[in-house]
Amino acid sequence: MSSLAVVVGAGPGLGAALARTFAAHHSAVAVLGRTLKTVEGVADDVRKSGGDANAFACDVTDAQSVQDAFAAIKQKWPSHQLRAALFNANSPFIMKPFLELTSEDIKPGVDVNFYGAFNFSQKVIPLMLEAGGGFLGFTGATAAIKGSAKFAALAPGKFALRGLAQNLAREFGPQGVHVSHVMVDGLIDTERVRGMMGSGDADSRIDPNAIAETFLNLAQQPRSCWTHEVDVRPFAEKW
């Protein structure tokens, strides 16, 4: 049976690396982003490398948008079974002193990291159960375990994402769904980061392809030895 991987938040950087990596190990990969413009290039790159990929618009904070995206995926690959689902959606990064924050600053982090992950999980888990099991991976951050000064717009949503991942791992692991939360501790070496902070020292930044390989390693673990949480950081990172 043909296998399908789905990556939400598949824009340039880590999302693109996840799409390329999982496309090499699955029959097809669906790349999802808030707008088609952000993910069409990723799908093109996968196809140029010999993989089968297609881009779909999906706003994970909108349950109907998630439903519509998966209906389109089913139409594209009607006989494929969902075996890997990767939640890599990100909220805007807002770093402000707490007393300067507004509810509008806080809302996107909770909407994407909790409600978005909730909507995505409610759609993909039944499909994996139907397929007899699969891998559900979440991209997290150090903010999921450590709230820092001026990070109040980010940390609550990341804490909630981690909690949801733990809930799902315990409930659906016995049914064959391997759920893992990957905490990324450090800057990912992307064009966006280089544009904001310069080229910097490569040893101090995380290669997105290496993170994608970590996700793949988790997805390939035998069920007798599953890992449900892992943190990744450059060796030069202080922690």
Side-chain angles (χ1 to χ4, degrees):
M1 180 67 72
S2 299
S3 63
L4 173 69
V6 174
V7 182
V8 67
L14 177 54
L18 289 168
R20 290 191 301 267
T21 299
F22 277 77
H25 294 269
H26 292 271
S27 306
V29 60
V31 292
L32 282 60
R34 187 180 292 268
T35 64
L36 280 177
K37 182 179 179 181
T38 61
V39 291
E40 283 180 331
V42 174
D44 285 341
D45 287 344
V46 171
R47 289 192 291 266
K48 288 175 184 176
S49 300
D52 185 7
N54 204 67
F56 302 88
C58 180
D59 178 358
V60 292
T61 67
D62 181 343
Q64 187 58 54
S65 178
V66 175
Q67 291 287 346
D68 292 344
F70 275 85
I73 291 169
K74 180 67 174 177
Q75 185 174 19
K76 172 68 177 175
W77 296 292
S79 63
H80 287 42
Q81 290 186 325
L82 181 62
R83 289 294 190 176
L86 309 173
F87 184 86
N88 186 58
N90 288 297
S91 58
F93 179 66
I94 299 173
M95 184 178 177
K96 287 183 181 180
F98 178 75
L99 295 179
E100 295 179 13
L101 288 171
T102 66
S103 59
E104 287 74 22
D105 293 326
I106 297 291
K107 192 174 186 298
V110 176
D111 282 352
V112 172
N113 290 295
F114 178 67
Y115 289 107
F118 172 84
N119 292 333
F120 184 69
S121 300
Q122 282 217 318
K123 187 61 188 178
V124 302
I125 288 174
L127 296 175
M128 288 184 180
L129 293 175
E130 182 180 301
F135 174 74
L136 173 56
F138 296 98
T139 301
T142 305
I145 59 170
K146 181 176 66 176
S148 300
K150 300 182 182 180
F151 274 69
L154 175 67
K158 291 297 185 183
F159 266 75
L161 175 63
R162 185 186 186 218
L164 178 63
Q166 291 181 355
N167 297 150
L168 299 179
R170 285 165 171 79
E171 183 171 353
F172 295 102
Q175 299 177 62
V177 178
H178 178 191
V179 182
S180 287
H181 175 248
V182 178
M183 291 183 293
V184 179
D185 182 18
L187 291 173
I188 301 175
D189 189 24
T190 63
E191 288 187 13
R192 179 172 175 270
V193 169
R194 290 192 292 272
M196 292 170 55
M197 308 184 69
S199 57
D201 179 1
D203 286 338
S204 68
R205 295 181 184 174
I206 312 175
D207 181 351
N209 296 301
I211 302 174
E213 286 294 332
T214 297
F215 273 92
L216 180 64
N217 291 337
L218 291 167
Q220 294 178 333
Q221 287 180 327
R223 39 168 75 204
S224 63
C225 187
W226 277 354
T227 300
H228 297 293
E229 184 167 78
V230 64
D231 51 356
V232 295
R233 63 178 60 86
F235 79 95
E237 185 76 13
K238 296 179 180 179
W239 55 288

